[in-house]
Every structure is written in structure tokens, then in C-alpha cells.
Amino acid sequence: MFGLFEKKKNPKEQMEQCLEKKDWDGLARAYYDLGVTAMDNGEPTKAVLWLSRADTVYSASDRVYKKTSKNRLFHKEIVTDCSDRIGALEDEDLLYNTIPAEMEEKMEELSDSQIRIWGLLSIARLVKLGEGLGKLAGCEVLGRLGWASDTMLKSFREPITQDEYGQLMDICNALYDLGDSQAFYGGGQIEVPGGAPFQVFDLNGMMGVHLELNAYIDSHLRFLSALSQGQEPPEAERCMVGCTLLPDYYVRTGAGSLEEVPQIKAELARIQSDYDFICSEITWEQISVRMWEYQELDILSEKP
């Protein structure tokens, strides 16, 4: 099926034009073309980036999905082909795939509480980035990760108020809605000292950082609800760990091999350090200190 479709000329130029015109169907097609080109050229990480972006854009609304999937010239099967390509890339030996698999394997040895704490420490490292992105219109929820992580940490030790529970629910829902909004894929970005600007859309990698945040908070709310009713709590959400690698940003900005990117190497070291930490004899005070230190960390900085 692959390689059946005519490629547009200058897809990057078309991408910029579509963003300016808010032509989301055209944007999805431009991303698709970039992904096909990358895949055909033996650049699977770039293919993951662009094809996943195409999928996110045309899936954001029924109107765009219908338009993108509509039979038109050689693009009559673009949605199906894009999905097939993404599925094929999931079998590749890429950081996008290997890290989640490694985390899942490690979690088989952990208790439910350890998994929850490991995920919460990961959320803490996104606080500083979230504060920057939260200043963009439509992305305000990302600026509330600090409060959310503090409140969830507190909830392990004492009951939270109904208002705090409600605010966590609002954050959870807003994170889910973010992925379907133009604020997410419409080109918004913030400056990064010493580096290329970070786009909100760079959160799209690793199954979607915003969606994994949503899943973690939703799982935690269900956990608290079950405890309050004397019920068996659901299993901990396992996919938060690893989202902090932010591979889409480094692939998009041409940082080279992901495994050699200093920030990714530093983050992998932190993930391993957290694993060793939660496997040791630790106190809530030690967890709090580590989390608060992480909340002040700029994970995009070249300094580990």
C-alpha cells in the first residue's frame, strides 16, 4: 500500500502556509507528505513525528477528518495509509518504542504505590515547561501542573477537599480537550534559551504528553474515590514515565540521534535514578524534596 500517493512539492512551505491560513486539512496532508518522504528515505524517527502529527490534526474534528479522508485525486486513502504507516513504525527499534517497553518491564517489579510515585516525579519535571506553555492562549491548563502535582502528593498522606478534587477533575478534563484544540496544533510556541523554540505540538510524541497527564490524573482521582468508599483502587497508570523525553522537539529541530541528545541522556539518567529511589527505603519528606527540586528544573536546558 505504501508509496501509492503523489507527493506535494515543498511540503514544509505548504505546512507554513496552512498554519497561517488555518487550513487544517492542508496541514494534515503536508505532515503526511513529510512523513511519507521520511519513511521512504529511511528516516523512521522523522516519519513518526510527521505522520503522528498528521493523524492528530485530521482526528481533531469530524469535519477535518471527513475532508482529509474524502476521495480526492491520489489522496483518496490518506487516512488509512497514514494509520498503516504509523502501525508499521511501532515495530521499529526506535526510542519512541523501546523506552515505553522498558518502563513497562520495570514496572512489573513495582508495587502500585511505587508506580504512582514514579509517575508523579515525572509530572514534576514538566512543571517548568508547563508554566511557559501555559502563558499561550488556550494552553492555560499546562500552567497548573505545579498545583496539580503538589495536591496529588498531599493526597497520599491526607484527604484533599472537595474543591481540590474538583479542581483536579477540571485540569484532567482540560488536558484531554487540549489535544483536539487549535491551540495544540496551531503553531503556538515559546522561546527556549540557547535552543530552538518549543512548540505546543511537540507534546504530541510518546502517545501525547497531555493525554498521559490526563490519564495519570484520571487514574489518581479514581484511586482517591475508591479509597474514600472503601473499595479496591484501580491499577496505577503506567505510561507517564518516559513522556518527559519530549522526542518530537528534538526530531523536529534536527538535534540528531535521539540517544545522543544531551537533554535526553540526562532525562534517561533521571528516570533510572527515580527508579532506584522508589526501590529504596524512602520517606514522604524525601519524596517531597525530590519533587519540589524537579518542579524548578528546566528539562530543555543543555545542562544536566
Side-chain angles (χ1 to χ4, degrees):
M1 181 181 294
F2 300 160
L4 294 177
F5 311 109
E6 179 185 43
K7 302 179 179 65
K8 295 186 178 70
K9 296 180 181 180
N10 302 317
K12 288 190 176 181
E13 180 180 341
Q14 180 180 342
M15 177 182 67
E16 295 300 326
Q17 292 175 350
C18 290
L19 280 170
E20 184 178 349
K21 297 178 180 178
K22 299 187 184 302
D23 174 5
W24 308 125
D25 170 59
L27 182 63
R29 292 174 184 276
Y31 284 145
Y32 168 78
D33 286 343
L34 285 167
V36 169
T37 298
M39 197 167 181
D40 291 349
N41 290 341
E43 300 176 299
T45 54
K46 290 184 179 180
V48 170
L49 167 72
W50 299 122
L51 292 172
S52 296
R53 286 196 172 200
D55 178 78
T56 296
V57 174
Y58 65 61
S59 299
S61 75
D62 290 340
R63 183 185 63 81
V64 176
Y65 185 88
K66 289 177 182 178
K67 188 173 182 180
T68 306
S69 58
K70 182 179 180 182
N71 291 357
R72 194 172 81 185
L73 298 177
F74 293 99
H75 295 278
K76 58 183 179 180
E77 297 292 343
I78 180 174
V79 170
T80 300
D81 188 60
C82 187
S83 178
D84 288 344
R85 287 175 180 273
I86 291 173
L89 289 165
E90 290 175 353
D91 295 328
E92 295 281 342
D93 183 21
L94 307 175
L95 180 140
Y96 280 99
N97 304 324
T98 58
I99 295 303
E102 289 175 12
M103 296 304 103
E104 180 67 25
E105 185 176 347
K106 285 180 178 293
M107 287 181 192
E108 293 298 327
E109 306 171 2
L110 301 177
S111 69
D112 188 84
S113 295
Q114 288 174 316
I115 294 172
R116 293 182 188 279
I117 295 301
W118 200 10
L120 189 58
L121 291 172
S122 297
I123 293 176
R125 291 200 296 280
L126 293 169
V127 167
K128 187 64 66 176
L129 175 60
E131 289 174 351
L133 294 172
K135 296 176 182 178
L136 299 174
C139 301
E140 292 83 1
V141 64
L142 296 172
R144 302 197 65 194
L145 296 182
W147 181 88
S149 56
D150 284 341
T151 303
M152 288 188 287
L153 176 64
K154 183 178 78 169
S155 72
F156 283 110
R157 307 181 67 182
E158 61 183 79
I160 60 175
T161 67
Q162 186 174 357
D163 177 68
E164 289 172 325
Y165 188 95
Q167 288 191 58
L168 278 175
M169 179 67 75
D170 290 342
I171 292 172
C172 181
N173 292 335
L175 285 165
Y176 182 83
D177 292 339
L178 177 63
D180 289 336
S181 71
Q182 295 179 16
F184 184 69
Y185 55 78
Q189 61 185 30
I190 59 174
E191 295 300 317
V192 175
F198 187 95
Q199 296 180 352
V200 184
F201 212 178
D202 289 330
L203 297 177
N204 198 53
M206 307 298 283
M207 302 302 292
V209 178
H210 57 301
L211 293 178
E212 297 304 347
L213 285 166
N214 160 266
Y216 181 94
I217 297 175
D218 179 71
S219 173
H220 191 76
L221 290 169
R222 295 177 187 275
F223 166 74
L224 295 179
S225 178
L227 289 181
S228 69
Q229 300 176 57
Q231 300 175 350
E232 183 72 20
E235 290 187 359
E237 171 59 39
R238 293 175 170 232
C239 296
M240 190 65 237
V241 179
C243 288
T244 47
L245 295 173
L246 305 173
D248 275 20
Y249 172 66
Y250 299 105
V251 176
R252 179 181 63 81
T253 57
S257 172
L258 290 178
E259 289 78 6
E260 298 303 319
V261 173
Q263 293 91 332
I264 287 183
K265 292 172 72 172
E267 184 55 24
L268 287 172
R270 293 186 196 104
I271 290 172
Q272 180 62 47
S273 176
D274 285 348
Y275 176 78
D276 296 337
F277 176 71
I278 61 175
C279 288
S280 63
E281 295 292 330
I282 53 176
T283 65
W284 284 111
E285 181 178 359
Q286 290 173 313
I287 294 171
S288 299
V289 169
R290 177 172 282 231
M291 197 182 82
W292 293 332
E293 288 177 348
Y294 280 159
Q295 289 177 339
E296 295 301 317
L297 178 68
D298 178 5
I299 58 174
L300 298 181
S301 171
E302 292 188 4
K303 296 180 180 179

